[in-house]
Amino acid sequence: MRRRPHRSPGRPPRSPGPRRTRAPLSPRHRFRIAVPVVLLAFVVSVLLIEGYTTRGFTGDQEARAGRPTTGVPRVIAGGGPVVDTTHDHLRTYHPPAKTVVLTFDDGPDPTWTPRVLAVLDHYGTPGTFFVTGQQTVRHPQVLRRVIRSGNEVGVHTFSHPDLATQSASSVDRELALTQLALAGAAGVNTSLMRMPYSSTTSALDNRAWTVSRRLGEKGYVLAFIDQDTSDWRRPGARAIVDAALPDAPAGGVVLLHDAGGDRSQTVEALDRLIPRLKAQGYRFTTLADLVGTDSFTSPVGTVELWQGRIFVAAVTVSGTAVSAVSVLLLVVGSLVLARCLLLLVLARHHARRYRRRHTGAHRPVTRPVSVVVPAYDEELCITKTLRSLAASDHPVEIIVVDDGSHDATADLAESLALENVTVVRQPNGGKPSALNNGVLRASHDLVVMLDADTVFAPSTVGRLVQPFADPRVGAVAGNAKVGNRRRLLGRWQHIEYVMGFNLDRRMYDLLHCLPTIPGAVGAFRVEALRDAGMVSADTLAEDTDITMALHRAGWEIRYVPDALAWTEAPISLRQLWRQRYRWSYGTMQAAWKHRHALVERGPAGRFGRLGLPLLAVFQIFTPLLAPLIDILALYGLVFGNPLTTVLAWSGVLAVQAVCAAYAFHLDGEPLRPLWALPLQQIVYRQVMYLVLVQACLTAINGYRLPWQRLSRSGDVMLPPQPSTRGP
């Protein structure tokens, strides 16, 4: 639909003049720009935080295979499980005889850590918990309970990587984030650490030893193990107990897990192990006791405390936001699939019903029709348009209403000297004014309206007016197609017109709630137009506005898929943006204007309670949320399983392709342009999302969008008649 600016009558065109500096953006323009940028930054930040802090790991399922140990000192490789390399010291610590340290990796976990704590508290036994930063920021309350119970806390990195394979900067980042998580969750830092995938000191290789020395330089005391229970394998509680028992009378550091999977066997084994060892005279202690220090943990300062709290809060907000986004994605995905299935089913039913209606008992409509062509600066298009109308196989009266053009539009229309063509000149008053003027001058009770850049097939008018044999029908929508589809942008719009607009119209036609008669090809009963108050300038989408007004006036509206018209689509992204921006905003204006149809009775109420909700869900709500599919696809590629993500996105694309192929089949269109569908989904669809977001923000901001005119290329061509595979 082409819009024209309101100008005062007789106002001459503005001369180019000297170049002017760009005026500063108004607060309303800044609002419409700032809000999407802020929302995008928020979503990206949330996904990055959530992705990094929840990135899955396999846990301590297997220690790293040892490599050459020539660089590992004997005092370390043959020493105890606690290694202190701080201050250039090389010392290790063994648990004394009959002394056991119970250590737990990979927590805190909201399910299993409290159960482990319950067993430890029951027997008055301390434990040492090596926590990951990921789990800590997600479950800070569990960590606080661990500390309140008098247990020891150590660092197990943030995302559980093998530090021997990481760069120095990655190691530093893992440590810094984990300490930040501890500060935010419990207000403490710790100098005790266990490297992921480590086991006994004898398994240290050169790379792991290099990392160990670096950690020692940073002040960390490292904990290794004596007894590996392999509880992550879930071998059974009895096997876990047997693996945890040290060789009497020696002591030992025992490795268990309180997270990373089902730890019910670990809890059961712990409940057996502690009383069994106590009965044998063993005592339980912490690693700090082995080293001879009061504690490895210390309170943090105010700055670190608030930095940690902000970090934990950011992760909490991110987790909540991603959970909400996931729910919305489920809703949107369900709506998209439901819409596709609904469109396919109803389109098939519509094709059959239209075929029956086309061969029904109604007598054909053969009386003459008035055709109104509003024109404003259309000298590139008007000749093709009028010649196509003059070639109509139905008797027509053609009324060209020149709406104050500054070019030779009116002169060209007159110079063609076509039969039954009348040119009416009026001061510029806008498209609704031109249409109403044309209707008032019409000689017949049926009026066809089209844009001045649109080309009709010879059979279009005759097919378009046939539904008027039913006296209940007040208006008819035709099938608008893209007439300049040779470039990629034109192909994308061609796919959208066939797949989106026309499939939607088939559905709405069956449900008797068609929301828009396209301005490029529509027919009206003059009596119905008068009942609806004629074409209004209240909104930017006068075609949608008059269609809704006709519903509320009690008239039926039909869709004729074989009444074909080829219109000129925008040839640049800038023009496309401007056009769709007006369409989206105008549709919202029209829906708001006719919102009272929701509570009305009869045809108006049917449209209000069916058409308006469908319009809101499928043309506003779902498209606004549809970018979640693409955003979460990128999220899955970076933080999830890339193969699964690609397959899921391909599935969505396949559903779209099926809908598109069937729509092209019904319209008798060749399938060749569908090669551009994947690229359309990646590029074109994103532009449409942004347009809709801007239109919604404009509506929220209360800004009234001015009329703007798109540039013409005159590139519309009447293609060969499509095949008759469809109805």
Side-chain angles (χ1 to χ4, degrees):
M1 182 68 63
R2 309 299 180 187
R3 322 293 187 196
R4 294 185 297 282
H6 287 292
R7 285 200 182 107
S8 59
R11 181 178 178 179
R14 186 187 301 272
S15 61
R19 181 181 297 274
R20 298 183 179 183
T21 58
R22 185 180 297 273
L25 294 176
S26 67
R28 285 175 173 172
H29 281 85
R30 287 197 296 268
F31 172 82
R32 296 202 302 274
I33 295 174
V35 171
V37 172
V38 171
L39 287 176
L40 180 61
F42 173 75
V43 171
V44 171
S45 301
V46 162
L47 292 179
L48 288 176
I49 293 173
E50 180 69 5
Y52 189 75
T53 57
T54 61
R55 188 167 49 185
F57 59 85
T58 57
D60 286 327
Q61 296 184 0
E62 288 288 356
R64 292 177 60 251
R67 292 180 175 85
T69 59
T70 55
V72 182
R74 289 186 179 181
V75 67
I76 301 296
V82 182
V83 177
D84 182 4
T85 62
T86 61
H87 308 297
D88 294 326
H89 296 153
L90 292 178
R91 66 180 70 174
T92 66
Y93 299 88
H94 283 282
K98 295 285 186 175
T99 302
V100 170
V101 179
L102 298 175
T103 65
F104 303 88
D105 285 7
D106 299 346
D109 182 271
T111 301
W112 301 112
T113 302
R115 298 189 185 186
V116 170
L117 289 174
V119 176
L120 295 178
D121 292 344
H122 177 71
Y123 293 106
T125 302
T128 300
F129 291 80
F130 291 96
V131 299
T132 66
Q134 284 185 344
Q135 291 292 95
T136 298
V137 294
R138 295 177 68 194
H139 312 293
Q141 72 285 355
V142 181
L143 178 68
R144 290 192 289 267
R145 179 175 173 182
V146 169
I147 295 175
R148 283 198 306 267
S149 298
N151 297 285
E152 193 170 46
V153 173
V155 171
H156 201 44
T157 70
F158 190 83
S159 59
H160 204 275
D162 183 353
L163 296 184
T165 65
Q166 304 296 305
S167 65
S169 60
S170 296
V171 172
D172 292 345
R173 183 169 58 251
E174 286 285 325
L175 299 176
L177 288 176
T178 308
Q179 295 289 9
L180 192 62
L182 289 171
V188 299
N189 284 155
T190 180
S191 58
L192 178 64
M193 181 176 183
R194 172 175 285 160
M195 295 188 295
Y197 307 103
S198 63
S199 58
T200 63
T201 54
S202 61
L204 276 171
D205 60 18
N206 293 340
R207 289 194 302 172
W209 174 241
T210 300
V211 177
S212 300
R213 288 303 304 268
R214 178 175 174 79
L215 295 173
E217 293 172 358
K218 290 181 170 297
Y220 286 98
V221 174
L222 302 181
F224 294 87
I225 63 172
D226 290 311
Q227 310 295 131
D228 186 355
T229 63
S230 296
D231 61 334
W232 60 271
R233 296 181 185 272
R234 302 187 64 202
R238 180 175 179 179
I240 295 173
V241 171
D242 293 342
L245 294 173
D247 295 331
V253 176
V254 180
L255 172 61
L256 296 158
H257 295 82
D258 64 324
D262 185 351
R263 297 293 173 245
S264 57
Q265 292 183 2
T266 301
V267 175
E268 182 182 350
L270 195 61
D271 199 23
R272 297 181 188 181
L273 176 65
I274 295 175
R276 180 172 175 176
L277 289 176
K278 282 189 172 183
Q280 296 176 9
Y282 281 83
R283 74 181 184 94
F284 295 88
T285 187
T286 63
L287 294 177
D289 183 52
L290 295 186
V291 175
T293 184
D294 292 335
S295 175
F296 288 112
T297 60
S298 59
V300 298
T302 303
V303 174
E304 291 177 284
L305 177 63
W306 281 104
Q307 287 176 340
R309 287 179 175 175
I310 292 172
F311 180 55
V312 171
V315 173
T316 302
V317 170
S318 298
T320 303
V322 170
S323 297
V325 167
S326 299
V327 173
L328 288 175
L329 178 62
L330 180 62
V331 172
V332 171
S334 300
L335 287 174
V336 169
L337 290 177
R339 177 179 181 271
C340 288
L341 292 175
L342 184 64
L343 285 176
L344 290 176
V345 172
L346 293 183
R348 178 60 177 167
H349 183 60
H350 181 273
R352 293 178 176 178
R353 182 174 176 179
Y354 179 74
R355 192 177 293 114
R356 290 196 302 268
R357 183 193 296 169
H358 193 63
T359 58
H362 285 301
R363 297 179 60 183
V365 176
T366 58
R367 61 184 184 274
V369 174
S370 297
V371 180
V372 177
V373 184
Y376 175 81
D377 289 352
E378 302 285 0
E379 63 180 359
L380 291 177
C381 311
I382 194 65
T383 299
K384 289 181 181 178
T385 299
L386 294 182
R387 290 191 186 279
S388 73
L389 292 173
S392 175
D393 57 16
H394 192 95
V396 294
E397 170 198 37
I398 305 171
I399 303 172
V400 179
V401 182
D402 182 80
D403 190 35
S405 297
H406 298 97
D407 61 8
T409 299
D411 294 336
L412 276 175
E414 291 176 338
S415 68
L416 294 175
L418 295 174
E419 186 179 359
N420 296 329
V421 173
T422 302
V423 178
V424 178
R425 301 172 189 255
Q426 70 170 37
N428 179 257
K431 184 177 179 180
S433 171
L435 289 172
N436 289 333
N437 193 2
V439 171
L440 293 176
R441 293 173 180 269
S443 304
H444 309 294
D445 66 329
L446 299 181
V447 174
V448 171
M449 298 180 184
L450 72 156
D451 293 330
D453 62 346
T454 302
V455 176
F456 273 16
S459 61
T460 299
V461 174
R463 292 176 177 178
L464 192 61
V465 299
Q466 293 310 307
F468 288 114
D470 184 346
R472 298 172 299 176
V473 175
V476 179
N479 189 344
K481 293 179 174 292
V482 174
N484 52 330
R485 60 181 81 162
R486 287 178 293 183
R487 297 180 180 180
L488 182 59
L489 186 59
R491 289 192 183 97
W492 286 344
Q493 294 177 82
H494 172 50
I495 294 172
E496 180 188 27
Y497 271 60
V498 177
M499 174 185 170
F501 299 160
N502 289 330
L503 273 187
D504 282 349
R505 289 193 184 103
R506 291 178 185 272
M507 175 185 71
Y508 287 125
D509 189 28
L510 276 179
L511 300 177
H512 301 282
C513 59
L514 187 71
T516 304
I517 297 172
V521 53
F524 301 84
R525 199 184 296 271
V526 174
E527 178 188 356
L529 285 173
R530 290 170 179 160
D531 287 347
M534 302 295 285
V535 182
S536 171
D538 292 342
T539 73
L540 296 182
E542 77 288 333
D543 46 6
T544 301
D545 187 2
I546 187 61
T547 306
M548 294 181 178
L550 288 167
H551 280 295
R552 297 185 67 189
W555 291 93
E556 287 195 12
I557 299 173
R558 299 276 176 81
Y559 170 55
V560 179
D562 55 358
L564 305 178
W566 288 265
T567 188
E568 180 175 333
I571 58 176
S572 68
L573 283 176
R574 178 180 178 84
Q575 292 186 33
L576 178 66
W577 183 289
R578 293 170 63 183
Q579 181 198 65
R580 300 310 172 84
Y581 182 27
R582 293 194 306 273
W583 284 9
S584 299
Y585 187 53
T587 299
M588 294 177 194
Q589 287 179 310
W592 180 254
K593 176 181 176 180
H594 297 284
R595 64 191 183 277
H596 296 296
L598 288 167
V599 296
E600 293 175 345
R601 297 181 178 181
R606 181 182 61 206
F607 169 75
R609 287 182 288 275
L610 186 59
L612 286 180
L614 286 175
L615 184 72
V617 169
F618 290 129
Q619 294 191 32
I620 299 176
F621 177 72
T622 302
L624 278 178
L625 298 180
L628 295 176
I629 297 175
D630 304 294
I631 292 174
L632 291 183
L634 292 175
Y635 176 84
L637 289 175
V638 176
F639 296 108
N641 186 322
L643 179 60
T644 302
T645 301
V646 170
L647 290 176
W649 192 87
S650 299
V652 174
L653 180 61
V655 172
Q656 298 286 337
V658 169
C659 286
Y662 189 63
F664 272 61
H665 167 73
L666 288 180
D667 266 22
E669 292 281 351
L671 301 181
R672 288 189 302 273
L674 290 181
W675 67 264
L677 180 62
L679 194 58
Q680 185 210 41
Q681 297 297 300
I682 296 174
V683 180
Y684 182 84
R685 200 165 51 133
Q686 317 309 318
V687 175
M688 295 300 101
Y689 295 156
L690 295 175
V691 168
L692 184 58
V693 168
Q694 188 180 20
C696 289
L697 292 174
T698 301
I700 293 172
N701 200 28
Y703 178 70
R704 184 172 180 84
L705 191 69
W707 294 91
Q708 297 177 8
R709 181 183 181 274
L710 299 180
S711 300
R712 298 286 195 266
S713 67
D715 199 27
V716 175
M717 300 297 293
L718 182 64
Q721 290 296 301
S723 67
T724 57
R725 289 177 297 166

